[in-house]
């Protein structure tokens, strides 16, 4: 049945009121922010709705990145949220989480771009770099004049990165020689620098290096034929006697325990991202259900459809409340690995379920990019896996609550 303008503007006959506008913030959780923060968040939403939402489906289909939106992100001044000084955006972890959720509400790939650059790459330098390294790298990264990537995962090493990294680092005077490969590295096909993690053959400890794209022996190839996060330009990085000066080694990083400090911070951000993905899928499916007619009336009036909607609202609200508390703990210096792991695992599981409800409401139209939800369904599969699988995160939680380690 063709959808007319009149159908889009349909009034609810019983209440004689305009239909509610789809809103993924059912409990008004954004009201925990200050008025100034809410105003800034609205600026972020307005930019995303005006510049990203209208073009993102086509870029997803084309497996390409919308470089024209980067200046707009630069103007928002949201790179390095949660980090103070050096030109970083600063502010609370809580506000940073809301921004991440807002971006993912429109597109998870753009949220990944933002998180890799401002969270992982800038975070690694902020937390583990020397004062000189912070002064050199963070200001241009905050201005998005230089874009960062984060190279930890390898073709043969994912969850076992703490013990099994195959990429090696060998020191020769004031130069380090890196050899190995990294896989699934977001932004790395075009980033100006990548934080590469490698095992020092001298002491067998993991160390971090700021590797510029012009470094001899550094090669980044785009990973093709992805079914998720297609806008993210993931790379397979090959390091073939890649030479990096000692001054580019993260000076306050001496083992994987230090690397884990960066991951602990960003794992919580993925939980926020998953929550935003749920919100976007829900809002698109609700808008569709309000205007889509079958049997002479909008399908949103059917009991089974409302059951789907209520389940989505419950999942989203539970996730929002969890990530808000997680970020409050982080801002108070009380967040532990198990807190971040539980949020990441819980929110991504609920996300997978929620985008499935959205897809089901839309029937066959749910697989068309024209209706957006198919993109959320596909992208959810990537969010579900990265920054630690559900099983690995559950083992971290299980160790914390039981007192026994089940890791092999």
């Amino acid at each position: 049945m063709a959808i007319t303008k009149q159908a889009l503007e349909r009034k609810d006959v019983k209440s004689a009121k305009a239909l509610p506008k789809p809103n993924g913030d059912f409990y008004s959780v954004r009201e925990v922010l200050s008025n100034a923060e809410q105003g800034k968040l609205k600026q972020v939403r307005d930019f995303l709705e005006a510049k990203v939402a209208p073009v993102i489906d086509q870029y997803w289909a084309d497996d390409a990145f919308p470089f024209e939106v980067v200046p707009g992100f630069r103007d928002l001044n949201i790179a390095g949220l949660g980090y103070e000084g050096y030109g970083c955006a600063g502010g609370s972890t809580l506000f940073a989480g809301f921004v991440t959720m807002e971006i993912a509400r429109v597109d998870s790939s753009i949220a990944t771009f933002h998180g890799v650059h401002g969270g992982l790459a800038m975070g690694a330098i902020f937390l583990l770099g020397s004062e000189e390294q912070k002064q050199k790298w963070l200001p241009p990264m905050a201005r998005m004049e230089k874009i960062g990537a984060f190279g930890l995962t390898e073709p043969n090493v994912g969850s076992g990165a703490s013990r099994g990294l195959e990429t090696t680092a060998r020191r020769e005077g004031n130069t380090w020689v890196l050899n190995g490969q990294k896989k699934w590295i977001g932004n790395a096909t075009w980033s100006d620098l990548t934080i590469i993690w490698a095992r020092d053959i001298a002491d067998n400890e993991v160390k971090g290096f700021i590797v510029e794209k012009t470094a001899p022996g550094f090669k980044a190839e785009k990973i093709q034929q992805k079914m998720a996060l297609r806008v993210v330009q993931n790379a397979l990085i090959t390091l073939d006697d890649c030479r990096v000066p000692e001054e580019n080694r993260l000076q306050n990083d001496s083992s994987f325990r230090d690397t884990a400090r960066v991951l602990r911070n960003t794992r919580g951000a993925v939980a926020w991202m998953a929550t935003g993905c749920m919100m976007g899928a829900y809002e698109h499916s609700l808008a569709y259900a309000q205007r889509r007619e079958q049997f002479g009336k909008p399908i949103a009036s059917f009991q089974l459809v409302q059951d789907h909607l209520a389940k989505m609202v419950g999942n989203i609200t539970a996730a929002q409340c969890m990530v808000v508390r997680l970020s409050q703990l982080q801002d108070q210096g009380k967040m532990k690995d198990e807190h971040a792991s539980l949020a990441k695992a819980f929110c991504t599981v609920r996300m997978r379920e929620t985008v499935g409800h959205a897809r089901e409401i839309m029937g066959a139209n749910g697989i068309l990019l024209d209706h957006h939800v198919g993109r959320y369904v596909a992208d959810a599969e990537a969010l579900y896996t990265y920054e630690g699988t559900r099983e690995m995160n559950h083992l971290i939680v299980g160790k914390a609550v039981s007192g026994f380690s089940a890791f092999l």
Side-chain angles (χ1 to χ4, degrees):
M1 179 182 294
I3 300 173
T4 65
K5 181 179 179 181
Q6 289 74 21
L8 291 173
E9 297 173 349
R10 179 182 298 275
K11 303 287 187 177
D12 184 294
V13 175
K14 292 183 179 180
S15 64
K17 294 181 179 179
L19 294 177
K21 183 179 179 181
N23 176 17
D25 189 4
F26 192 68
Y27 272 25
S28 300
V29 292
R30 70 172 53 212
E31 292 181 7
V32 302
L33 298 175
S34 68
N35 290 336
E37 289 171 328
Q38 291 185 50
K40 182 68 172 181
L41 198 64
K42 184 179 185 303
Q43 291 179 18
V44 173
R45 174 172 288 207
D46 290 345
F47 165 74
L48 293 165
E49 294 286 357
K51 300 298 183 181
V52 178
V55 303
I56 200 64
D57 286 319
Q58 189 58 56
Y59 276 100
W60 196 95
D62 293 342
D63 193 15
F65 186 86
F67 291 102
E68 70 270 20
V69 307
V70 174
F73 272 98
R74 181 183 303 128
D75 294 341
L76 286 171
N77 187 30
I78 55 174
L81 280 168
Y83 303 127
E84 296 292 342
Y86 311 101
C88 297
S92 67
T93 303
L94 180 63
F95 178 64
F98 272 94
V99 170
T100 296
M101 183 174 70
E102 197 65 56
I103 299 173
R105 172 184 163 273
V106 171
D107 183 65
S108 297
S109 291
I110 299 299
T112 299
F113 153 71
H114 169 76
V116 168
H117 171 69
L120 286 167
M122 292 182 68
I125 296 172
F126 184 88
L127 293 171
L128 304 177
S130 66
E131 181 64 24
E132 291 76 15
Q133 289 172 330
K134 295 176 188 178
Q135 293 285 358
K136 177 179 179 180
W137 296 104
L138 290 177
M141 293 177 78
R143 296 190 298 268
M144 301 188 79
E145 296 168 0
K146 290 188 179 295
I147 300 298
F150 187 90
L152 178 61
T153 304
E154 298 179 350
N156 297 323
V157 181
S159 298
S162 63
R163 300 178 183 177
L165 281 190
E166 297 177 351
T167 299
T168 61
R170 181 181 75 255
R171 186 165 183 173
E172 294 182 354
N174 286 326
T175 300
W176 290 85
V177 181
L178 308 183
N179 282 284
Q181 286 190 313
K182 299 293 179 179
K183 192 174 183 180
W184 303 114
I185 312 307
N187 300 352
T189 61
W190 58 284
S191 61
D192 299 287
L193 61 106
T194 302
I195 309 298
I196 294 290
W197 304 93
R199 187 170 299 281
D200 183 353
I201 62 174
D203 62 9
N204 207 37
E205 295 289 357
V206 173
K207 293 181 171 63
F209 301 86
I210 303 169
V211 181
E212 298 179 74
K213 65 181 179 182
T214 56
F218 177 88
K219 181 181 179 182
E221 303 171 86
K222 179 179 176 179
I223 295 175
Q224 306 285 349
Q225 298 182 334
K226 294 188 302 175
M227 63 161 278
L229 295 182
R230 288 171 56 83
V231 175
V232 177
Q233 302 301 286
N234 293 94
L236 172 67
I237 294 175
T238 300
L239 303 152
D240 185 7
D241 284 341
C242 179
R243 304 184 73 82
V244 181
E246 162 64 12
E247 67 185 36
N248 278 21
R249 179 182 64 83
L250 293 175
Q251 298 296 304
N252 293 317
D253 171 51
S254 59
S255 72
F256 192 81
R257 287 187 297 274
D258 297 316
T259 313
R261 291 172 57 198
V262 182
L263 299 176
R264 182 186 307 123
N265 285 349
T266 57
R267 188 167 293 130
V270 178
W272 280 98
M273 201 178 299
T275 306
C277 180
M278 285 189 256
M279 291 172 66
Y282 161 72
E283 290 175 4
H284 282 300
S285 64
L286 172 55
Y288 177 88
Q290 288 174 324
R291 66 178 182 262
R292 173 69 171 178
E293 291 191 358
Q294 289 293 290
F295 308 106
K297 57 183 179 180
I299 64 172
S301 66
F302 297 152
Q303 291 180 354
L304 291 178
V305 171
Q306 291 190 7
D307 182 59
H308 284 299
L309 294 171
K311 287 176 179 176
M312 286 192 281
V313 169
N315 284 345
I316 293 166
T317 303
Q320 287 170 337
C321 292
M322 176 177 278
V323 292
V324 164
R325 182 56 185 153
L326 176 72
S327 289
Q328 289 173 337
L329 288 173
Q330 188 170 352
D331 284 328
Q332 295 165 9
K334 298 177 180 179
M335 187 188 76
K336 299 178 181 179
D337 285 337
E338 54 266 30
H339 296 140
S341 289
L342 180 62
K344 195 279 174 176
F346 178 86
C347 293
T348 52
V349 169
R350 297 283 78 79
M351 168 193 64
R352 236 182 174 190
E353 179 182 303
T354 299
V355 299
H357 286 302
R359 160 74 179 86
E360 193 162 349
I361 285 174
M362 302 183 76
N365 283 332
I367 67 170
L368 291 175
L369 278 176
D370 293 351
H371 295 280
H372 315 297
V373 165
R375 171 166 51 86
Y376 290 85
V377 173
D379 289 348
E381 290 303 304
L383 300 186
Y384 181 70
T385 300
Y386 71 39
E387 283 277 10
T389 63
R390 179 192 62 80
E391 292 85 355
M392 293 299 292
N393 280 300
H394 276 185
L395 290 180
I396 293 171
V397 177
K399 178 181 177 181
V401 299
S402 73
F404 294 98
S405 175
F407 288 99
L408 298 178

